[in-house]
Amino acid sequence: MKAERVSRMTGSEVNAFLGKAGFPAIENAKGVDVYRVSYRTVDVNGGPTTATGSLVLPQTSAHELRVVSYSHGTMADRREAPSVASTGEGRYLPVYFATHGFAAAAADYLGLGEGPGAHPYMHTATEAGASIDLLKAARRLAGQQQVTFDKRIMVTGFSQGGHAAMALGAALQKDRDLDVSAIAPISGPFDIEHAEFPAAVDGRLDGRSAAFYLAYWLTSMDRVYDVYDEPSEAFRPPYDAKVTDLLDGSHDLGTIAAALPSTVDELLTPAYLGKLGKPTGRLLKAIRRNDTTCRDLRPGAPVRLFAATGDRDVVLANSESCLKDLRARHVDASLMDVGDVNHLTSLRLSLPKVLAWFQQGAGTTAG
């Protein structure tokens, strides 16, 4: 493990920093210290690799801290990851929780930040693995400063991070050293097979968003599961010749969006569109291996799902499906629809509710 402090802010500086992102002023905001942590974890094949992430500690005299793990949303550019970017969702959100007195950890995931290789987008096992291994590295770093962490972690995340948060919650239940207190995913794509892919194909998702998500998911899953023999099997020209390089972790969203079409029909071949509607073989394996996050959790940690009717990036049906799976397993779970708002607004509206629940001791008291 290697850690370096990359930022130090007073409470007033935190308010100014978060204010730039539209956060309201926080009364009695605590100062924070932000660390970039490099640590060992495992890759998609279970072999050794390294990853990076962010740990944000409140400036407090307390020697024991409750911990929030925040899992960030979809990002294709490794430079936007929490441990590297000085702004953006992956940095703002851990600071937000830390200034309220929590230790906040935010994994970059594999292949983002300073981790090697390409990012295995939406790969359940490594989302959970990178997150839990960061928490363990963060505990060692805190111990060097005579601070101990509560072993029962509060878990949240947005978009892809909602998926990662559920995966982490299930992994924490199986861990020998840590446990999960409560899980609060926001607008996560939990059911690719029955909710997200159908919405992408039938036009319920924004066209450009759907094209981007599908291109990212397919190129990432192809590296792991070989979901097409050649890019031309899945992608129409000219996208078949450039999509893999475009999504190699070195291009920002604006560059990628400008290079991709505005609809799924323009991106994918008719034959592959048909496969998405009725997946089989390696494609179905990739979907079902990673569509399990809401079925892997056991009773013991309450879950509050947040989503939005108006979301055209991740449809509400994902969270409805997750809620059904959780209740079938007798997990204490609920879903709050924050309204006819877009994807990013669902985060803005849900976040104060997540914070309030965590502050009330989510998972340690009834409800």
Side-chain angles (χ1 to χ4, degrees), residues 96 165 173 237 250 283 291 341 354-355:
Y96 175 78
Q173 287 184 323
S250 66
L283 177 61
D291 251 4
V341 298
V354 173
L355 174 67

Side-chain angles (χ1 to χ4, degrees), residues 287-299:
I287 293 169
R288 291 190 173 171
R289 283 278 179 92
N290 297 287
D291 251 4
T292 64
T293 58
C294 298
R295 298 191 295 273
D296 291 340
L297 198 73
R298 303 192 305 264

Side-chain angles (χ1 to χ4, degrees), residues 66-352:
R66 291 183 297 165
V67 182
V68 171
S69 175
Y70 178 76
S71 298
H72 67 74
T74 300
M75 54 183 64
D77 188 342
R78 62 172 56 249
R79 296 165 296 185
E80 296 176 359
S83 75
V84 177
S86 59
T87 59
E89 172 229 342
R91 177 62 61 88
Y92 290 130
L93 274 293
V95 168
Y96 175 78
F97 284 107
T99 197
H100 285 94
F102 297 95
D108 294 340
Y109 311 143
L110 297 192
L112 296 174
E114 296 183 353
H119 171 49
Y121 180 55
M122 293 287 292
H123 185 259
T124 298
T126 57
E127 285 175 342
S131 299
I132 203 167
D133 289 335
L134 172 62
L135 287 166
K136 293 181 177 183
R139 280 215 309 176
R140 294 194 294 273
L141 175 60
Q144 294 170 6
Q145 302 183 26
Q146 288 72 54
V147 174
T148 58
F149 285 173
D150 188 325
K151 66 174 289 186
R152 301 192 69 210
I153 311 299
M154 298 178 174
V155 178
T156 186
F158 169 63
S159 194
Q160 178 191 1
H163 180 268
M166 287 301 303
L168 173 60
L172 285 167
Q173 287 184 323
K174 301 171 186 173
D175 193 73
R176 292 179 299 177
D177 303 316
L178 299 173
D179 200 354
V180 58
S181 174
I183 311 169
I186 303 169
S187 300
F190 307 110
D191 192 348
I192 294 293
E193 183 177 1
H194 303 107
E196 192 70 358
F197 275 1
V201 171
D202 68 21
R204 281 176 290 149
L205 293 191
D206 173 80
R208 285 199 178 275
S209 295
F212 166 67
Y213 291 136
L214 278 170
Y216 201 3
W217 190 91
L218 287 169
T219 54
S220 295
M221 289 299 168
D222 185 61
R223 297 185 187 103
V224 184
Y225 299 101
D226 195 22
V227 298
Y228 46 76
D229 293 329
E230 298 290 340
S232 59
E233 179 188 339
F235 300 100
R236 291 177 180 265
Y239 310 109
D240 59 332
K242 60 183 178 181
V243 68
T244 303
D245 290 339
L246 195 62
L247 289 156
D248 65 357
S250 66
H251 300 88
D252 61 32
L253 180 58
T255 301
I256 296 167
L260 290 177
S262 59
T263 68
V264 171
D265 288 345
E266 294 173 277
L267 176 71
L268 298 179
T269 65
Y272 213 83
L273 268 174
K275 285 187 176 183
L276 289 182
K278 294 183 178 179
T280 59
R282 293 168 296 184
L283 177 61
L284 183 61
K285 177 181 178 181
I287 293 169
R288 291 190 173 171
R289 283 278 179 92
N290 297 287
D291 251 4
T292 64
T293 58
C294 298
R295 298 191 295 273
D296 291 340
L297 198 73
R298 303 192 305 264
V303 178
R304 289 190 180 179
L305 296 154
F306 297 85
T309 303
D311 194 336
R312 294 194 65 211
D313 285 73
V314 179
V315 290
L316 179 68
N318 283 280
S319 292
E320 292 173 333
S321 175
C322 184
L323 180 66
K324 182 179 178 181
D325 283 339
L326 291 169
R327 287 183 170 171
R329 283 148 184 79
H330 308 291
V331 174
D332 176 7
S334 64
L335 168 60
M336 176 175 285
D337 179 355
V338 296
D340 188 13
V341 298
N342 66 23
H343 194 49
L344 286 174
T345 304
S346 75
L347 171 63
R348 182 177 62 81
L349 295 179
S350 302
L351 190 60

